[in-house]
């Protein structure tokens, strides 16, 4: 039997970012359902455990203090696995969870960590 299709859902508060993401998804031939809004109020719930990938903006778009509400929303996703691309160590600390895996990498010229959290 074929596995159930995986739904890919992506969101952002910034309409320009969503427009770019939608255009890139179309060019890549990837079917993604997009939503506009903050992660703490607009991220959909699913009827099975989800794998959430978060790339919170760092630097000029979002400070670690601004990440408090999204961090709380992500912590509340009991049963979901989370991968967080953290370009600012303060954002990772704001999540207040212990990752099960950590990968050091670069996002262009920015040193980052990809942190994986499991329920």
């Amino acid at each position: 039997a074929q596995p159930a299709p995986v739904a890919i859902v992506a969101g952002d508060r910034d309409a320009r970012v969503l427009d770019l993401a939608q255009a890139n998804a179309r060019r890549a031939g990837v079917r993604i359902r997009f939503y506009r809004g903050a992660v703490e109020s607009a991220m959909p719930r699913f009827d099975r455990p989800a794998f959430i990938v978060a790339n919170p903006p760092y630097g000029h778009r979002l400070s670690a203090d601004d990440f408090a509400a999204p961090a709380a929303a992500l912590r509340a996703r009991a049963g979901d696995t989370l991968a967080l691309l953290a370009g600012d160590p303060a954002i990772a600390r704001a999540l207040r969870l212990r990752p099960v895996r950590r990968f050091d990498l670069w996002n262009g010229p920015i040193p980052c960590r990809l942190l994986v959290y499991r329920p």
Side-chain angles (χ1 to χ4, degrees):
Q2 288 273 358
V6 175
I8 301 173
V9 181
D12 201 295
R13 289 189 238 193
D14 187 331
R16 293 172 304 180
V17 170
L18 286 175
D19 289 343
L20 290 170
Q22 288 171 326
N24 287 334
R26 276 193 301 275
R27 278 194 297 278
V30 179
R31 295 182 63 185
I32 299 175
R33 183 176 48 158
F34 290 91
Y35 70 89
R36 182 169 180 225
V39 69
E40 60 270 25
S41 61
M43 187 168 50
R45 289 273 179 193
F46 303 99
D47 58 355
R48 61 184 183 210
F51 187 90
I52 300 167
V53 180
N55 181 12
Y58 29 88
H60 67 281
R61 284 185 61 202
L62 182 72
S63 72
D65 289 340
D66 295 331
F67 191 60
L74 291 169
R75 276 194 309 275
R77 299 293 296 234
D80 293 338
T81 298
L82 169 65
L84 176 72
L85 182 62
D88 180 342
I91 288 177
R93 284 191 301 274
L95 196 54
R96 297 191 333 245
L97 294 173
R98 183 179 204 85
V100 295
R101 298 286 313 261
R102 173 186 158 162
F103 303 90
D104 293 323
L105 49 94
W106 292 82
N107 185 3
I110 303 168
C112 295
R113 289 189 180 106
L114 179 62
L115 305 168
V116 179
Y117 304 88
R118 290 205 177 105

